[in-house]
Each structure stands twice: as structure tokens, then as C-alpha cells.
Amino acid sequence: MALTPEMIDLLGAGVGHQVGACTNAGRPSVCRGLAARLERDGRLVVVLSAQSGFEVLAAIRENGRVALNVTLPETYQSMSLLGRDAIVAQGGAEFRPLVEDRYRKFRAQLERHGIAQAYTDAWYLAPDEDLMTIRFTPVAARNQTPGPGAGSPLALQSR
Amino acid sequence: MSAQFEDGLSLFGVRRMMEGVVPPTLCTFSVDHMPNVSYLSVVEYIDPLHIALSYQFFNRSRENVLATRRAALTLDDPYTGAGVVLQIEYLRTETEGPVFEKLRAKLLSVASHVGMDDVFYLRGADVYRVHELRRVPGRKELPAAAPRVDIPTNSRVLSERMANCAELAELLECFLDGLGELLRIDNSMLWLFDSAHSVLTLLASRGYETGGAGAEISAGEGIIGTAVREGVPIRVGHMMNMARYARAAADRADSQGFRPAPRTGIPLPGLKEPRSQLAVPLRARGRVLGALLVESKHDQHFGYDDEDALALLCGQFAVAMSLMQPQEYEPPAREAPSPAPVDSVAPLKLRRYSRDNSVFLDDEYLIRGVAGAILWKLLAEFKRSGRREFSNRELRLAPELRLPEVQDNLEVRLILLQKRLTEQRAAIQLEKAGRGRMRLNVSRPFEMEMADRDAVPR
């Protein structure tokens, strides 16, 4: 299954990222992601800080289950992409240009609503050596826009 | 019960994060450990070990929580960008009681801005036990903002000033002026609740281009009406953010087939785009008499300390207001000579509609309710006998005004009428003429007409 064009557009529209995971013992965790992109092989790559996301990364290493939530601050349009085969890897530094691009677009939206860059910098200034990646094949998508039906399935398209 | 968590953090210490720049994020999981991440509208601090989350819709998060009872929650500090993560356990859902009422009031105040209070309502307050609380590492945090003022000390100064006021008009000025001078709250409105007609009437304001005395809104509308109806303070630190969130839910509800009854949008009073608002009910003798609304163009302008301070000051104001009944009759001072109305100008046309005592001056709406009836009585007496001075006592005893015996708020209604006439620069004005007395000043001839009993043009 593959993302629809609308989903791919949303990934690059200036969204905020949240990454959720859960250990085999049933301990959930969630952290802020920094960027996400669809790769040529149909997998998603998500960049995050090892320091702030240590618990999420540990849970993903255990069972590969992951939920990436992306939300457009302007409208709260929100979706989750789920995977069961997530793999954690180092080398996130090579995605620094992607992180910068995603942050710039995200920040532009928040600044329109009076949220200063100095504030959002707190989330995004992880050093290169701290950047990690998660790669997974999206097997399901959910509409997470607030309201009734949040969490209901979104259709992926055939590859 | 222990209130200390990792790094010396306490739930009390992070409660301001519950109204952060971004909505709190909740991560639940299904029985097969598949995570689900969603945003929440409202998180409410209950005590050092418990919080409540709003339950509005039955969705994936709800399904997961009922199945597994565990969740992770992240909160962001609205000032520093710091974050915390909580491990929480679902205990129960409350559908009544103070926690539920406060959550509901907060939610409704925002939902009513987008006309979605029929859909975007609270089904329950989900109560969670907090097992862990830790800081999100690796963030470059900003220094915490310096306090705006010394709120406890300055509130005490204001309270003492209010305690020295002998009359309601003086108390009103002292309170609203003091909010600006001592607490740096420059935009404020004081609303009175008329339970008989379920409306709120603006008594006085500070910091706006127009005073707006006499303006009305329906009880239950917006943050003010909700605070009055529920009898609890409501504070929203990111109005625009919350309004966008509610709008998103409203759009989603539309697409899901929820159809709220059509209604007229009530524009936010005061600031065009307030970023922070705090509404505090005026409570005394077990009743809600009205509410104070303060607002700001800045995000997070009002914190928990403001809420606590204003709750005390509003309580003091409300008790004083209910005690400051009109003074007993005192012999009238020698009546000032009446300035003769100028006969050469066209007479002012006064029209009254009996259904709600609306009074119009030259087709311009002036006021209604008891204040309208009072004005009509004074003018009728003036026309009949030429008398210009009246005592509060005779108004209280006048059967046609139908003032409630227990709590008539006559003094408040007279202040409202006086302010309204002043703001309208009307040819008829009302002024104090000593303790418990007032004087009518008429600078233009007038005609009085009772209009149709059914139609009330607005």
C-alpha cells in the first residue's frame, strides 16, 4: 500500500510531527519528530532527536510498531501513518536539509499566530550527532483531525 | 500521597503547561500494542496525582483507553518551550461534579465561538492517575517570563481600596480602575446577570473605544455566559489557537453528519482578536450575580495566580454589591431649579414597549428591562408634576417596577441607566442628588408614547 498524493503533499506542507510507540510490556511513549518524507521504496523516513525521543526509539526497537502523527497548525488537519516494521538507525545528520526545510514551513505557520521562533527553536535545535531516523512501511493511515471519528481509517492506495 | 516525581517535578508545578501553545498530545495503544497519537482539547489539573482529560467523542483514543487503561501524555510549557511526559492510568469517567463542570465550561466557552456547542460538548471528564512525570531532555529552553506584577500584594492593595468604598458607583470605578493600575489588566468588562430574562447586561468597561453600557448577550453565550451559567472561572490562554481547534472539530462534525441548529454567531465583545481571556463569576450568597471579563492581546496573559486573585476580588465585589442597597430615604436637598426645556426644538420622541420595557429615544434603542421601566416612571412623573428629584426608596416601593423583594439590585440598575444616558449623550440625563436620591435633567421637550405591545424592534 502507498500514500495518496494528498498525504504526500501534507507531509511537506509545514506540519508538526509526533511519534508514538508502545513497548511489549504495554508502556506507551510519544515524542516530537522533526521531519518526515516518503522514500523511493515506499517507506517513510522520520527524523527525530535521540535525546528527547529515547523512550520512543527503545519501544520501536522492541517491536517495530510506530504511529507518526502529522498536523498542520493552521487548520489542525491531522493524520497518522502506522507501521509494524519500523527500524531505528543513526545517520540522521544527512537529513539536516530536510529538517531545516520542514521546520521553516512549520515555523512560518506558527509565526502567523504569534508564536515566536525562539519558542519553537526549543523543539528543533538538536545537534547533528543527536539526529536519528526511523524507517517504516505505512500499513494503515488514520484521520486524526480533532472531532468525531478521530482515529478512523484513511484509505491508502495500491502500489 | 506523594506529589514529587523525577527531577523534583510536581504536577502542581507543571499545571500551566496544561494550557500550552500546542494542544497536549496523547498516545494510547490497542491490545496488540499498536500506538495511536492524537491531540486533546483540555487537560485539567485535579490534585498532585490526578488530572482530567476531556472526553468529547468516542474515537480511537477512547477505544484504546477503555481497553488498555494506559496512556502517555506530553505537555509543552507555554513560556519556555520545555516539555514533560506523563505516564497515566485511566481510572473513571465523571459526568457531574466540579471537575466535570469546569472542563465543560472551558470547552463550551470555545465551542460557542464557532457556534458548535451543540456538537462540541463534553460527554465526560476522564480522570487519570499520574504515575510518572519526567522532563523531555535535549530541549533548548527559554527563560521563564518575569511576573507581570506582584499579584498577591497588589490584589491586597486593591481589596483594601474596595473595602473603603461606601457606594456602589464608587466601588465599581475603584474595581475597574484598580485592575488596570495595580494588576495591569487594561481591558475589562463587568456584566450583570438578569436571571429572569436569561441575559447578561454590560454595566461598565475599561480599555475599549466604546463603553458599551447596556449591551446584552444571552446567558450561556461565550466565555462570559458560560462562566455565569456554570459559576466557575474560565481562562483561555490561546484564544485563536483554541478557536482553530474547535473549528477543525466543527468541520469534522459537519462531514460526519452532525448538524447543529442554525444560530447567529455572537461576535467576541471588546478586543477584535483577543489572545487571552479570563471570565470570573461574581458570586455572593449562593448566587451568581454576573461576571468580570478581562482580556488581552497577548497569549497567556492570565495565569493561575490571576484566576485566584480575581476570584477573590470578584467575590468581594459581589458581596459588597449585594450589601450596598440603596440608602434609606433622606430629606431632599432643596430642589435645584429645573432648566426649562427649549421649546423651539422638535420634541424628543420617547417610545416604550411594554413587553420588555424597551425604551427608544427618537427611534434609537436606549435600554430595556427594569432600567427602562425606571426611566419611564421618572419621566412620567416629571411630565405630570415637574418633579425632578426622586428617592431610591420610592422606586423600590413602586409596584409597577416589580422589583424583587430579596435582591433588587436597584442601585446597579440606576448606575447602568445613568451610564447609558451619558454614553448616548441623551437630552435626558440622570445624576446623583445626595444619598439615596437622584435628579433628572431634561434639556429638550419630549413626548411619551406607549408602542404596540407585541412588536419590539431591535
Side-chain angles (χ1 to χ4, degrees):
Chain A
M1 302 300 284
L3 303 190
T4 64
E6 292 77 20
M7 291 172 178
I8 297 169
D9 287 346
L10 185 59
L11 286 177
V15 292
H17 309 75
Q18 296 283 350
V19 186
C22 181
T23 66
N24 291 332
R27 181 185 169 89
S29 53
V30 59
C31 73
R32 191 168 284 282
L34 303 177
R37 182 173 78 186
L38 185 65
E39 299 284 78
R40 288 175 185 276
D41 60 4
R43 289 196 298 170
L44 275 163
V45 62
V46 184
V47 187
L48 70 168
S49 155
Q51 202 177 356
S52 63
F54 72 95
E55 206 172 1
V56 168
L57 293 170
I60 292 173
R61 285 190 177 103
E62 264 189 38
N63 58 32
R65 291 180 172 84
V66 66
L68 167 68
N69 183 296
V70 294
T71 301
L72 205 55
E74 193 80 42
T75 61
Y76 276 103
Q77 182 187 357
S78 186
M79 73 169 173
S80 276
L81 300 168
L82 309 180
R84 294 178 180 277
D85 63 351
I87 292 171
V88 175
Q90 294 190 337
E94 69 178 274
F95 291 93
R96 175 62 71 186
L98 178 69
V99 171
E100 295 297 330
D101 175 67
R102 296 298 201 236
Y103 179 35
R104 183 174 49 78
K105 291 175 181 168
F106 177 62
R107 194 175 66 217
Q109 292 199 35
L110 293 179
E111 280 176 345
R112 282 202 288 277
H113 295 283
I115 298 170
Q117 178 181 344
Y119 183 85
T120 47
D121 277 351
W123 305 336
Y124 277 84
L125 290 185
D128 283 355
E129 61 274 18
D130 186 42
L131 296 183
M132 303 284 283
T133 61
I134 302 165
R135 282 190 167 81
F136 69 94
T137 310
V139 293
R142 291 174 185 161
N143 188 336
Q144 293 289 17
T145 301
S152 58
L154 287 174
L156 296 172
Q157 64 184 20
S158 302
R159 297 199 67 195
Chain B
M1 94 185 143
S2 169
Q4 288 291 312
F5 293 95
E6 203 173 295
D7 301 330
L9 290 174
S10 70
L11 206 50
F12 182 85
V14 303
R15 62 181 183 158
R16 72 179 185 190
M17 295 189 185
M18 295 174 194
E19 304 158 40
V21 172
V22 291
T25 309
L26 183 73
C27 181
T28 60
F29 60 98
S30 59
V31 289
D32 67 347
H33 295 175
M34 180 55 81
N36 182 74
V37 178
S38 62
Y39 288 110
L40 291 167
S41 335
V42 182
V43 176
E44 188 70 26
Y45 171 86
I46 299 178
D47 63 35
L49 288 176
H50 297 89
I51 57 172
L53 309 186
S54 57
Y55 160 40
Q56 294 146 251
F57 308 106
F58 189 85
N59 51 28
R60 181 79 62 173
S61 296
R62 178 87 184 154
E63 186 182 339
N64 285 350
V65 159
L66 293 180
T68 65
R69 307 187 84 80
R70 295 277 175 167
L73 177 72
T74 64
L75 305 170
D76 289 296
D77 189 298
Y79 302 103
T80 68
V84 294
V85 183
L86 293 76
Q87 287 290 327
I88 56 178
E89 177 190 7
Y90 169 73
L91 298 181
R92 64 183 178 276
T93 298
E94 294 183 357
T95 55
E96 58 182 12
V99 173
F100 175 79
E101 294 300 337
K102 191 154 190 175
L103 265 182
R104 183 168 72 163
K106 200 173 278 190
L107 199 62
L108 279 181
S109 69
V110 175
S112 65
H113 283 316
V114 290
M116 287 300 294
D117 35 341
D118 295 336
V119 171
F120 202 67
Y121 69 94
L122 190 70
R123 292 170 192 268
D126 286 346
V127 177
Y128 285 81
R129 164 75 151 87
V130 178
H131 289 284
E132 290 180 31
L133 168 63
R134 69 165 173 83
R135 193 176 294 278
V136 175
R139 286 196 179 176
K140 183 188 171 191
E141 298 172 14
L142 298 172
R148 196 175 73 241
V149 292
D150 183 342
I151 291 174
T153 301
N154 290 10
S155 297
R156 177 175 170 173
V157 173
L158 178 53
S159 173
E160 286 169 357
R161 284 186 192 175
M162 289 165 66
N164 285 326
C165 293
E167 294 190 353
L168 188 55
E170 182 189 2
L171 177 72
L172 181 64
E173 303 296 313
C174 173
F175 186 29
L176 295 184
D177 288 344
L179 290 178
E181 179 195 337
L182 294 166
L183 298 180
R184 287 181 56 196
I185 295 174
D186 297 324
N187 301 100
S188 58
M189 304 177 212
L190 205 72
W191 294 80
L192 294 175
F193 180 42
D194 178 352
S195 59
H197 300 95
S198 284
V199 295
L200 286 152
T201 307
L202 183 60
L203 178 62
S205 67
R206 289 289 185 279
Y208 305 107
E209 287 184 9
T210 56
E216 291 181 354
I217 60 171
S218 298
E221 295 284 358
I223 188 170
I224 313 155
T226 312
V228 167
R229 193 183 59 216
E230 305 297 342
V232 294
I234 304 169
R235 183 162 46 87
V236 181
H238 289 272
M239 289 299 294
M240 306 313 288
N241 199 21
M242 287 289 279
R244 274 185 295 129
Y245 184 97
R247 185 70 257 169
D251 291 344
R252 185 90 181 111
D254 283 345
S255 70
Q256 298 272 313
F258 290 81
R259 303 303 303 174
R263 49 183 294 152
T264 308
I266 303 292
L268 284 172
L271 295 178
K272 190 178 174 188
E273 288 191 347
R275 301 192 75 94
S276 304
Q277 287 188 327
L278 169 58
V280 183
L282 306 174
R283 292 172 58 96
R285 299 156 76 182
R287 296 171 58 218
V288 177
L289 308 179
L292 172 75
L293 175 77
V294 296
E295 53 183 359
S296 166
K297 296 173 186 169
H298 305 288
D299 284 328
Q300 294 287 336
H301 194 70
F302 309 111
Y304 277 94
D305 291 343
D306 290 286
E307 183 178 324
D308 293 343
L310 291 187
L312 290 172
L313 291 169
C314 282
Q316 181 181 350
F317 180 88
V319 170
M321 183 172 80
S322 66
L323 290 173
M324 285 177 175
Q325 297 298 323
Q327 303 297 317
E328 290 301 302
Y329 176 79
E330 289 188 0
R334 191 181 175 84
E335 187 156 324
S338 176
V342 183
D343 290 331
S344 57
V345 296
L348 180 65
K349 287 186 171 28
L350 279 91
R351 199 164 70 254
R352 174 188 173 195
Y353 291 83
S354 56
R355 192 177 70 182
D356 65 352
N357 287 317
S358 307
V359 176
F360 290 72
L361 301 184
D362 277 346
D363 297 327
E364 286 285 323
Y365 170 74
L366 178 72
I367 204 154
R368 69 172 189 166
V370 173
I374 290 172
L375 179 64
W376 200 259
K377 176 179 170 53
L378 301 184
L379 289 170
E381 179 61 27
F382 173 77
K383 211 164 183 61
R384 191 181 64 77
S385 66
R387 185 152 74 94
R388 295 174 54 228
E389 291 199 7
F390 303 85
S391 71
N392 292 355
R393 184 174 176 79
E394 69 180 280
L395 292 177
R396 168 171 292 112
L397 297 175
E400 68 269 35
L401 296 181
R402 295 182 198 141
L403 290 171
E405 288 181 15
V406 179
Q407 179 75 44
D408 60 26
N409 279 331
L410 176 63
E411 191 84 1
V412 174
R413 296 172 203 273
L414 288 171
I415 290 172
L416 174 63
L417 178 58
Q418 190 178 353
K419 280 182 174 295
R420 182 70 180 143
L421 289 166
T422 303
E423 286 183 9
Q424 289 293 99
R425 295 189 177 89
I428 296 163
Q429 294 289 323
L430 204 57
E431 64 179 10
K432 280 190 78 70
R435 296 182 72 188
R437 299 188 62 79
M438 82 211 78
R439 180 184 300 122
L440 200 58
N441 287 324
V442 180
S443 59
R444 188 176 153 191
F446 63 89
E447 296 173 352
M448 299 173 74
E449 175 200 356
M450 285 298 293
D452 178 82
R453 286 177 176 273
D454 296 324
V456 181
R458 301 307 300 270

